[in-house]
Amino acid sequence: MDYEDHGTRSPALSVHGLSKRFGDRVAFEDISFEVGIGEVFGFLGPNGAGKTTTVRTLGTLIAPTSGSAVVAGIPLTPENAARIRRRISIMPESPGLYLRLSVAENLECFADLYQVSNPRERMEGALKAVNLADRAQDVCASLSKGMRQRVALARALLGDPQILFLDEPTAGLDPVAARDVHELIDRLRRRGVTVFLTTHRLEEAERLCDHVAILNTTLRTIGRPDELRDRLFAKTLAVTTRAPLPDPGRVFAGLPAVERWHPDGGCAYRLTVTDPAVAAPAATRALVAAGADVLSISPSNHSLEDVYLRLVGADAPAGAGEEAGER
Amino acid sequence: MSVSIRRIRAIVRKELREYRRTPSIVVAMGIIPLIFLVQPLVVVFGLPASSSGQLAHAHVLLYLLGIPALTPVLIAAYAVVGERRQDTLEPVLATPVLREEFLLGKALAALVPSAAVAYTVYALCIVFVALFADPAVASALLRWPQILAQVLFTPLIAAWSIWVGMAISAKAGDIRVAQQLGMLAGIPMIALTSLTALDVIHPTLGRALGLAAVLLLLDALGWRIVSAAFDRERLITGTR
């Protein structure tokens, strides 16, 4: 990896106050974040939130209205556009293959556009990575949607990018094909490739991403998925006993790391805690000492979806990005 | 970053492969030249030997310059809007390809088959006239200045048609509309070649050189116009 000027410890992607407007319509506004080298960075948001426009802007396809960014160690300016494009790859949501050409002919064209050395080996390697090595001579029009998506992924790998922008890479794929893509992203991460992943699949983001950002024209939040959960939702323990406790206040009051409690219906209780690892054993001991039959004690399990819905659910969908070709 | 021959070649090769496999383009590239070939041959084969004297002032075969005026427009008009409609433009523009490389690749890919078809049809026409027309008529028609004019003007006219077609293609939102507008834009050039063939515009060496200079200028101007019309952002987002 050759990250110019900033040494190997500088981020792969650094964005400061970036905005894009189409006339008086705002696609995204004042977004700032950094993505480390070799990270998988999830970019989430509803339709029209500005995700695709952000990818296109960072990929030098469209110019930002204001703000600055450094992409793969190169400042994002019109003069640097071609140099940046040599270090990145973008896989748009629509595969955009030449359907009358074969898989190999499609890849050959892009290998030449990226001016890769030993193109034949690179094409074979890319096809092998997406499990399509035996389909090289197939005409793209004859491939299923999932296969086309994988050819587009192989095409994005040809240039050996430092940053790979994947726009909804598993949209329309069956679960097996989606799992293959996830494994490929994992392999790329291990090779030190930075992956910028826009997705609607929150479980995909939760499973793959080191950090996620939630965008709805403006950046709503950014962090590790577990950080976001902790930031938005209080940590709780769900306690279930065989019979209602005669005096639950006496059992739960004063336990270490337990801030408060409330009944959760019947034999269930919810404890708000500061540290589940401390509170759970203490609560177990207290319940046993009180003679209660404990059926379960489990920490709250808020998903990234809960975070997303909390942040975005109440918003009206943004429109500028959608009108500008945002998917 | 400097212009890369490899990237231009990649665009040309991809385009030629696509054209070969697009029936509408293959058919159009075959039918239009045939129409242009048949009309002068019908006229020439019907001429008696006695008309050879009058033919000294006729330039029937210059009519064939309509082929390079019309056929490349069909391809060029498809070049940009065709990619947009297929969603293939964004992946290409996301590579390190420069605007100049993309446009030159597209233009060359339109020029090569168009010029090849135009020259082939002209060669066929010469062979048919030489073999089947009355010998006196044939010797009156097949004059070196006309053959030279055909050879020299074919690429100049084709290049102009290509730039016009690509300028329309870069602005249009629909392939058919782009091709129809391209055909309309080719009419003045066809009118010029037809009027010359009919000797309404009498071709002289001075006029030929003047026209060549104008075409060269128009070709350079066309390149600039197409470059200016090629706006990555508008082509990808459909805005601005």
Side-chain angles (χ1 to χ4, degrees):
Chain A
M1 295 283 144
D2 169 28
Y3 283 88
E4 101 177 2
D5 302 335
H6 298 268
T8 52
R9 294 177 67 188
S10 62
L13 201 53
S14 180
V15 177
H16 299 286
L18 207 64
S19 300
K20 178 64 188 175
R21 288 169 173 271
F22 295 100
D24 56 355
R25 289 177 286 118
V26 178
F28 59 83
E29 190 157 47
D30 195 25
I31 60 171
S32 302
F33 58 85
E34 287 194 344
V35 181
I37 293 169
E39 251 188 42
V40 178
F41 185 82
F43 209 52
L44 315 177
N47 291 333
K51 303 186 300 295
T52 298
T53 306
T54 306
V55 168
R56 287 170 171 169
T57 304
L58 296 174
T60 77
L61 292 171
I62 60 180
T65 308
S66 61
S68 64
V70 177
V71 181
I74 304 172
L76 181 68
T77 62
E79 303 77 49
N80 289 336
R83 285 175 61 216
I84 289 173
R85 291 199 298 270
R86 290 180 78 157
R87 296 183 177 200
I88 65 170
S89 272
I90 300 176
M91 180 189 152
E93 184 181 354
S94 169
L97 302 176
Y98 296 108
L99 296 180
R100 292 188 178 91
L101 306 191
S102 70
V103 171
E105 287 168 341
N106 267 276
L107 295 189
E108 186 186 8
C109 174
F110 280 79
D112 285 337
L113 293 178
Y114 279 106
Q115 295 190 291
V116 301
S117 51
N118 52 11
R120 200 157 292 278
E121 280 173 37
R122 289 286 275 280
M123 284 161 54
E124 284 170 8
L127 284 176
K128 210 176 279 179
V130 297
N131 297 327
L132 282 179
D134 56 340
R135 308 301 291 263
Q137 300 311 319
D138 288 16
V139 175
C140 286
S142 70
L143 301 177
S144 66
K145 185 182 179 193
M147 283 186 185
R148 290 180 193 179
Q149 199 84 347
R150 282 150 66 187
V151 175
L153 198 48
R155 182 184 63 196
L157 297 174
L158 281 174
D160 197 16
Q162 292 176 7
I163 305 175
L164 180 58
F165 291 91
L166 301 176
D167 196 356
E168 304 282 352
T170 54
L173 296 190
D174 62 56
V176 176
R179 190 197 58 199
D180 289 346
V181 171
H182 294 166
E183 286 172 1
L184 177 63
I185 292 172
D186 266 337
R187 288 202 298 276
L188 290 170
R189 183 209 325 250
R190 286 197 292 275
R191 271 177 43 197
V193 177
T194 305
V195 179
F196 189 98
L197 174 73
T198 75
T199 182
H200 279 114
R201 294 189 174 187
L202 298 171
E203 78 288 354
E204 178 174 271
E206 187 145 30
R207 160 161 152 36
L208 292 172
C209 297
D210 301 298
H211 288 89
V212 295
I214 297 177
L215 180 79
N216 198 7
T217 305
T218 55
L219 206 58
R220 294 307 165 93
T221 191
I222 185 168
R224 291 205 315 268
D226 56 342
E227 277 177 359
L228 300 185
R229 278 194 295 268
D230 292 350
R231 213 181 291 165
L232 282 179
F233 296 99
K235 292 173 191 159
T236 58
L237 285 179
V239 175
T240 312
T241 54
R242 185 180 295 278
L245 297 173
D247 188 2
R250 194 172 59 80
V251 177
F252 298 129
L255 289 178
V258 175
E259 290 181 330
R260 57 185 182 274
W261 69 276
H262 62 87
D264 205 14
C267 307
Y269 306 88
R270 189 162 291 274
L271 314 185
T272 304
V273 303
T274 52
D275 185 355
V278 174
T284 309
R285 282 192 296 272
L287 286 163
V288 171
D293 293 331
V294 182
L295 295 182
S296 67
I297 296 182
S298 56
S300 57
N301 198 17
H302 289 289
S303 65
L304 189 58
E305 186 173 351
D306 296 323
V307 174
Y308 179 90
L309 291 174
R310 171 76 68 92
L311 288 169
V312 170
D315 291 350
E322 199 149 37
E323 287 173 45
E326 178 109 354
R327 279 175 275 268
Chain B
M1 230 166 77
S2 56
V3 168
S4 155
I5 299 295
R6 185 175 171 188
R7 283 198 288 264
I8 294 172
R9 204 175 50 213
I11 299 286
V12 172
R13 191 161 46 200
K14 187 277 294 176
E15 291 285 292
L16 292 179
R17 280 173 171 160
E18 277 218 294
Y19 297 154
R20 273 208 318 266
R21 295 168 200 175
T22 305
S24 61
I25 288 181
V26 173
V27 169
M29 292 285 285
I31 286 179
I32 291 173
L34 276 180
I35 293 169
F36 275 90
L37 176 66
V38 168
Q39 198 273 346
L41 285 183
V42 167
V43 172
V44 168
F45 290 163
L47 289 174
S50 57
S51 63
S52 60
Q54 296 167 327
L55 288 174
H57 300 291
H59 319 282
V60 178
L61 299 189
L62 285 182
Y63 183 66
L64 292 174
L65 281 173
I67 297 172
L70 213 52
T71 49
V73 166
L74 285 172
I75 301 177
Y78 179 86
V80 180
V81 69
E83 295 243 16
R84 278 181 75 186
R85 304 310 294 179
Q86 290 185 89
D87 285 337
T88 51
L89 191 60
E90 185 171 354
V92 172
L93 296 185
T95 70
V97 73
L98 302 176
R99 178 175 59 180
E100 294 82 358
E101 294 164 346
F102 181 81
L103 293 176
L104 276 175
K106 291 273 184 185
L108 280 172
L111 181 65
V112 169
S114 306
V117 165
Y119 284 139
T120 303
V121 169
Y122 192 61
L124 282 174
C125 191
I126 288 173
V127 169
F128 286 147
V129 169
L131 290 180
F132 303 116
D134 185 277
V137 170
S139 65
L141 282 175
L142 302 177
R143 299 194 299 268
W144 279 111
Q146 282 199 26
I147 295 173
L148 198 63
Q150 189 82 27
V151 169
L152 292 178
F153 277 99
T154 289
L156 290 174
I157 291 173
W160 168 247
S161 297
I162 287 167
W163 293 131
V164 169
M166 284 179 65
I168 291 169
S169 189
K171 289 285 183 188
D174 181 81
I175 297 169
R176 281 177 193 277
V177 170
Q179 287 181 328
Q180 284 160 4
L181 288 175
M183 298 286 267
L184 276 178
I187 287 175
M189 194 60 77
I190 289 172
L192 183 66
T193 55
S194 300
L195 290 174
T196 309
L198 297 171
D199 205 32
V200 176
I201 298 172
H202 183 64
T204 61
L205 180 63
R207 279 185 184 155
L209 289 175
L211 182 62
V214 168
L215 277 172
L216 270 175
L217 196 69
L218 286 176
D219 288 344
L221 195 68
W223 161 247
R224 284 179 183 277
I225 290 169
V226 173
S227 288
F230 191 84
D231 178 346
R232 269 175 206 259
E233 180 162 333
R234 189 187 57 77
L235 289 171
I236 286 175
T237 64
T239 61
R240 202 159 89 163

